[in-house]
């Protein structure tokens, strides 16, 4: 009788091991850092929520015709375009070039203040850069910038004009491009 009980307990233990063993092993591998699930990455930029549609919020903005059917990477500088501004424009240009064959899907926009930028500099160094002035848009973007993140970064808009992400000014361009490429792969528009 005792021999039967021992065998029954062993069988019950084996059945439990078959069911719970893979679960324990998977948890150990995942939480132990041995395995990261697919899609378990992090964004380098900050996702903007709630979604704000620029065409709905500012129907007369000069940005609206510029992003018609394309993604927009927008840099805002309402002051004079000094060294930091020129560096940001360089990052804007290089980030687009790093997209390779997808670079035609992205437009670069420089939102400046009342002081117009140096057109000779822009024509020589930043061909294809779209420059606009829109105080209302600058105010909207300043309000949408995530708290605790410094100004002077880059906003990404989808082809419908929705604000999608904000990238801090000191971001590595390769990290920004990684996020943009991910969105372009997933996008069925633009």
């Amino acid at each position: 009788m005792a021999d039967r009980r021992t065998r029954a307990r062993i069988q019950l233990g084996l059945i439990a091991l078959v069911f719970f063993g893979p679960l324990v092993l998977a948890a150990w591998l995942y939480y132990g850092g041995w395995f990261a699930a697919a899609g378990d990455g992090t964004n380098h930029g900050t996702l903007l929520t709630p979604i704000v549609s620029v065409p709905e919020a500012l129907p007369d903005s000069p940005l609206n015709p510029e992003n018609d059917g394309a993604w927009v990477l927008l840099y805002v500088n309402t002051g004079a375009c000094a060294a930091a501004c020129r560096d940001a424009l360089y990052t804007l240009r290089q980030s687009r070039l790093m997209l390779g064959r997808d670079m035609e899907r992205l437009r670069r926009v420089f939102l400046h203040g009342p002081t117009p930028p140096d057109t000779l500099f822009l024509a020589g160094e930043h061909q294809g850069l779209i420059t606009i002035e829109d105080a209302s848009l600058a105010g909207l973007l300043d309000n949408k910038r995530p708290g605790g993140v410094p100004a002077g970064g880059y906003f990404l808009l989808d082809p419908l004009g929705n604000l999608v992400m904000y990238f801090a000014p000191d971001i590595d361009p390769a990290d920004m491009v990684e996020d943009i490429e991910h969105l372009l792969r997933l996008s069925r528009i633009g």
Side-chain angles (χ1 to χ4, degrees):
M1 184 87 143
D3 197 23
R4 257 177 56 189
R5 283 187 187 163
T6 305
R7 271 191 289 158
R9 286 181 183 161
I10 290 173
Q11 286 176 346
L12 182 62
L14 289 174
I15 290 172
L17 185 62
V18 167
F19 286 106
F20 294 112
L23 180 62
V24 170
L25 179 64
W28 178 70
L29 289 173
Y30 183 78
Y31 292 111
W34 293 92
F35 172 76
D40 191 24
T42 56
N43 297 326
H44 302 286
T46 304
L47 289 170
L48 300 175
T49 55
I51 297 293
V52 172
S53 171
V54 173
E56 288 178 15
L58 302 170
D60 297 328
S61 175
L63 177 65
N64 295 336
E66 299 301 340
N67 84 314
D68 185 36
W71 289 81
V72 172
L73 189 57
L74 182 130
Y75 170 67
V76 182
N77 181 15
T78 55
C81 193
C85 171
R86 290 175 185 243
D87 289 345
L89 292 177
Y90 175 78
T91 299
L92 197 66
R93 182 185 73 203
Q94 293 307 107
S95 297
R96 180 176 176 267
L97 291 174
M98 289 169 67
L99 288 172
R101 64 185 172 134
D102 284 333
M103 73 180 183
E104 295 304 321
R105 296 176 66 187
L106 183 77
R107 294 189 183 141
R108 298 171 295 135
V109 175
F110 175 32
L111 177 61
H112 61 83
T115 306
D118 181 357
T119 53
L120 292 175
F121 166 72
L122 294 180
E125 297 288 323
H126 300 285
Q127 291 180 346
L129 178 69
I130 300 163
T131 60
I132 60 173
E133 178 188 1
D134 186 355
S136 300
L137 179 59
L140 174 73
L141 295 175
D142 192 46
N143 289 335
K144 284 304 294 175
R145 184 172 38 84
V149 179
Y154 312 89
F155 287 91
L156 182 67
L157 289 84
D158 71 11
L160 301 175
N162 298 315
L163 290 170
V164 177
M165 291 188 98
Y166 178 78
F167 300 100
D170 59 349
I171 190 167
D172 180 358
D175 291 341
M176 182 164 51
V177 168
E178 183 181 325
D179 282 359
I180 294 171
E181 283 177 333
H182 182 73
L183 288 170
L184 291 177
R185 266 194 313 274
L186 296 175
S187 174
R188 300 199 189 280
I189 55 175

